[in-house]
Amino acid sequence: MALPGRDNRGPCYWCFKTVKWIPVLFIVTIVAWSYYAYVIELSLGTVETAVKQVLYLIFYHIFLFTFVWSYWQTIFTSSNRVPNKYKIPDEDYEAYTSHADSFETQNAILESFAMHLPITNITIGGGVRFCEKCRIVKPDRAHHCSVCEACILKMDHHCPWINNCVSFANYKFFVLFLGYALFILYICIPYHSSIFYFILEVINGDLSGMGKFHILFLFFVAVMFGVSLMSLFGYHCYLVCENRTTLESFRPPSFRGVGEDKYGFHLGKYRNFQEVFGEDPKTWFLPITTSLGDGIEYPVHSRHQQSYHSMDNTQNSLGDGLTFPQRRLDEDREGLLCEQRFEDDSHYYS
């Protein structure tokens, strides 16, 4: 059955879809112009020694390549959608809508359907997390995106600068995109070159013509974008270490029998890092898919282990016969993940 609102896509819909690409085109334009300013006007047209020119160009192109690669992956990696097994049958949905005045009856219908689904998160009111627009029981950490018109696995936020949701599928690429962009702005451009020539212009007036304009504007663009990128990149590094999404940092997930717990998915900083970047250090900083899990089931702290309805699914096995959540939970039982103690809510993990 088609989802509501998807049968009447007129000119306004496609116009809106086109407009959403404007921020991406703006970023691409800035990158293209900065390439000209840095390579042509600065490195080749202003830097005097050949050694400096080669060094500037080598380092710049290395990090520009990884930046563009990460940005491409962030934009064009499709957000994982919720599998069909989470969508309730039509008869159940009709029974659900016919009891709109009774939360208990509606929740009982959802509980019956979700009995064998591996979910631990619940609503603040203690009910099953259900999306009426998509007619699905939400997996852990999944949320509905009103822009994408779908429920997205481990949704962090919808970013207009990539015209895509930042989610389980592309979160690693998004963090790398921020990191490489910051590295280019603060190291390859301002530190090695633009600041030096900016000072020359202000103090000595050594630069002239259009080269002066491009280099000065390059400096101001680097500073303007660098300040915002530094705070955003630092914030997402913090989220990676805490194993949270942006949405979860504003509203901690709720667990059965416990309630809200901002440390519910915290496995220790190193394990949290591995969930996003994988277990192989050689691939950590490459924009290729290495994140652990399937975006549906997540390892939780031992406090919430009893919340899983089913752990029989082995589609996400890592080669040892155990699913990703099982593997982490077994490690937790052995005490490998219990070494982490938290200053906040320390009574949870004593």
Side-chain angles (χ1 to χ4, degrees):
M1 181 179 294
L3 294 177
R6 296 200 172 185
D7 294 329
N8 300 315
R9 294 181 171 181
C12 291
Y13 172 83
W14 295 110
C15 180
F16 177 68
K17 294 283 286 186
T18 303
V19 168
K20 290 193 297 182
W21 284 101
I22 291 179
V24 176
L25 294 177
F26 175 76
I27 295 295
V28 172
T29 302
I30 291 294
V31 172
W33 167 81
S34 66
Y35 182 87
Y36 169 81
Y38 185 88
V39 174
I40 306 300
E41 294 292 345
L42 179 60
S43 298
L44 299 179
T46 306
V47 177
E48 297 177 354
T49 65
V51 175
K52 285 186 177 180
Q53 287 180 343
V54 172
L55 289 177
Y56 286 176
L57 292 176
I58 288 177
F59 280 105
Y60 178 77
H61 281 90
I62 288 175
F63 289 103
L64 178 66
F65 174 75
T66 52
F67 163 77
V68 172
W69 187 9
S70 300
Y71 192 44
W72 177 277
Q73 290 282 68
T74 306
I75 294 173
F76 294 105
T77 299
S78 299
S79 299
N80 294 93
R81 306 301 172 92
V82 179
N84 287 331
K85 69 176 183 178
Y86 286 83
K87 185 174 182 179
I88 66 172
D90 292 341
E91 56 271 18
D92 288 346
Y93 182 73
E94 292 177 2
Y96 173 87
T97 55
S98 64
H99 294 85
D101 57 343
S102 174
F103 168 79
E104 290 77 11
T105 303
Q106 285 187 327
N107 192 60
I109 296 172
L110 298 179
E111 285 278 6
S112 177
F113 172 75
M115 183 179 303
H116 300 293
L117 296 177
I119 57 175
T120 66
N121 291 165
I122 56 176
T123 64
I124 296 179
V128 176
R129 299 172 64 243
F130 179 69
C131 177
E132 295 188 357
K133 294 181 179 180
C134 298
R135 301 183 183 181
I136 57 111
V137 172
K138 297 179 183 178
D140 290 349
R141 316 184 83 172
H143 295 275
H144 184 86
C145 176
S146 57
V147 179
C148 296
E149 299 180 337
C151 285
I152 307 298
L153 297 180
K154 195 186 178 183
M155 178 179 172
D156 187 272
H157 69 286
H158 186 93
C159 180
W161 299 107
I162 65 172
N163 191 26
N164 197 3
C165 268
V166 179
S167 62
F168 171 81
N170 63 353
Y171 188 66
K172 174 189 176 182
F173 308 145
F174 178 74
V175 176
L176 291 178
F177 155 67
L178 295 178
Y180 287 128
L182 188 63
F183 200 91
I184 290 176
L185 292 175
Y186 268 89
I187 296 181
C188 291
I189 297 179
Y191 180 75
H192 288 297
S193 50
S194 296
I195 287 180
F196 173 72
Y197 291 101
F198 175 75
I199 294 174
L200 282 181
E201 166 60 22
V202 174
I203 297 180
N204 301 322
D206 291 341
L207 301 178
S208 60
M210 288 302 296
K212 174 182 66 175
F213 167 78
H214 285 291
I215 293 172
L216 293 181
F217 195 62
L218 185 65
F219 171 74
F220 286 115
V221 169
V223 172
M224 180 179 66
F225 280 93
V227 170
S228 58
L229 278 174
M230 182 169 57
S231 59
L232 186 60
F233 178 65
Y235 177 66
H236 280 280
C237 287
Y238 165 77
L239 292 180
V240 169
C241 292
E242 295 294 307
N243 203 346
R244 291 183 217 161
T245 65
T246 299
L247 294 177
E248 290 169 351
S249 68
F250 289 108
R251 175 175 291 178
S254 295
F255 294 82
R256 295 178 181 276
V258 176
E260 291 188 353
D261 183 5
K262 61 182 180 180
Y263 293 124
F265 295 106
H266 199 303
L267 308 175
K269 288 182 172 54
Y270 182 64
R271 288 298 186 186
N272 295 341
F273 178 86
Q274 284 185 316
E275 270 204 21
V276 176
F277 290 89
E279 296 179 322
D280 187 357
K282 296 189 296 296
T283 61
W284 282 349
F285 304 111
L286 295 177
I288 58 178
T289 302
T290 57
S291 300
L292 302 181
D294 58 2
I296 300 174
E297 300 180 48
Y298 296 91
V300 294
H301 193 273
S302 57
R303 179 178 179 85
H304 309 295
Q305 288 178 18
Q306 70 277 8
S307 299
Y308 274 98
H309 292 311
S310 174
M311 299 299 293
D312 296 328
N313 188 354
T314 58
Q315 65 179 357
N316 196 33
S317 175
L318 298 179
D320 53 8
L322 298 177
T323 63
F324 174 60
Q326 284 178 304
R327 190 182 190 202
R328 294 290 178 255
L329 294 177
D330 289 343
E331 290 174 351
D332 193 19
R333 294 189 185 97
E334 294 170 5
L336 295 179
L337 303 179
C338 294
E339 296 174 1
Q340 177 72 31
R341 292 295 183 265
F342 310 104
E343 293 180 1
D344 298 334
D345 301 328
S346 60
H347 62 283
Y348 278 14
Y349 308 102
S350 59

